[in-house]
Amino acid sequence: MEGWDKGTKSTVGEIPLLATRAGPRDGEAWRQRLKEEYRALIAYTSVNKAKDNDWFRIAAANPEGTRWEGTCWYVHNLRRYEFPLQFDIPVAYPQVAPEIELPTLDGKTHKMYRGGKICLTVHFKPLWAKNCPRFGIAHALCLGLAPWLAAEVPILIDSGMVKHKDDEAAPAEASASAAPSS
């Protein structure tokens, strides 16, 4: 993991590695893998909270644990920008990393595929392949989504492609107050 800063290396070192090589079609082995995934996510969330770096909420959207949804956020210039987050666990998981989607940013950057899937091919996917099956969802968030947000969101904000929720509400409120009353 050369090229990563000390803080990222330290955080990744505190996320438990997974042992079970199982995907959604593997029955009981998949249920064991899901338990490991939850343990890793809980550990990662705890590390983030201890470092005052809480930046996402996520949960399985179905009982099988094959669809995940939540929210992630990025703080830029002391303002919090929130984005819905979702992904499906691929059939070939854990050999294939999940494709993380931020649907509200779809079409706003070249570092994204159709449907709001963030581009992780160059930097993250080789790392995932090298660490399969030890990496899981928490690792994808830490080493995939977090750096992507840090690289892309400030550019999107500065270019005006992403607006803060307060800035979006202000014009609507202004036009409502300027409308003539009957």
Side-chain angles (χ1 to χ4, degrees):
M1 288 196 343
E2 60 269 352
W4 296 99
D5 64 276
K6 288 181 185 178
T8 302
K9 285 183 182 180
S10 168
T11 300
V12 170
E14 295 185 56
I15 301 172
L17 296 174
L18 289 73
T20 305
R21 184 184 292 264
R25 294 183 177 172
D26 294 325
E28 189 56 41
W30 172 244
R31 285 187 277 291
Q32 177 58 36
R33 173 73 184 207
L34 267 179
K35 290 177 187 175
E36 293 176 21
E37 295 281 2
Y38 279 115
R39 274 191 287 255
L41 281 165
I42 290 167
Y44 182 39
T45 302
S46 298
V47 167
N48 284 341
K49 287 184 180 200
K51 295 180 178 182
D52 196 26
N53 189 28
D54 192 27
W55 63 275
F56 70 90
R57 294 281 179 274
I58 192 164
N62 63 15
E64 300 81 23
T66 57
R67 176 109 180 120
W68 293 73
E69 295 175 346
T71 303
C72 62
W73 54 90
Y74 187 83
V75 177
H76 181 70
N77 292 334
L78 303 176
R79 298 178 94 182
R80 179 171 153 158
Y81 295 82
E82 292 189 20
F83 310 100
L85 157 71
Q86 63 190 34
F87 59 89
D88 292 310
I89 298 294
V91 173
Y93 188 83
Q95 289 78 14
V96 176
E99 294 182 317
I100 299 170
E101 302 171 39
L102 302 174
T104 57
L105 297 181
D106 188 18
K108 294 187 178 186
T109 173
H110 295 291
K111 304 241 174 97
M112 184 170 270
Y113 301 115
R114 191 175 343 174
K117 294 178 180 172
I118 66 172
C119 177
L120 296 174
T121 53
V122 176
H123 303 289
F124 179 70
K125 291 211 176 173
L127 184 62
W128 180 276
K130 180 179 174 184
N131 288 284
C132 173
R134 297 180 307 264
F135 275 11
I137 295 168
H139 298 89
L141 295 173
C142 179
L143 297 172
L145 181 58
W148 190 94
L149 289 170
E152 292 300 311
V153 171
I155 294 168
L156 292 170
I157 294 167
D158 292 343
S159 69
M161 296 294 286
V162 170
K163 303 242 184 268
H164 192 269
K165 62 183 176 186
D166 293 344
D167 294 341
E168 289 177 342
E173 291 170 4
S175 64
S177 64
S181 56
S182 312

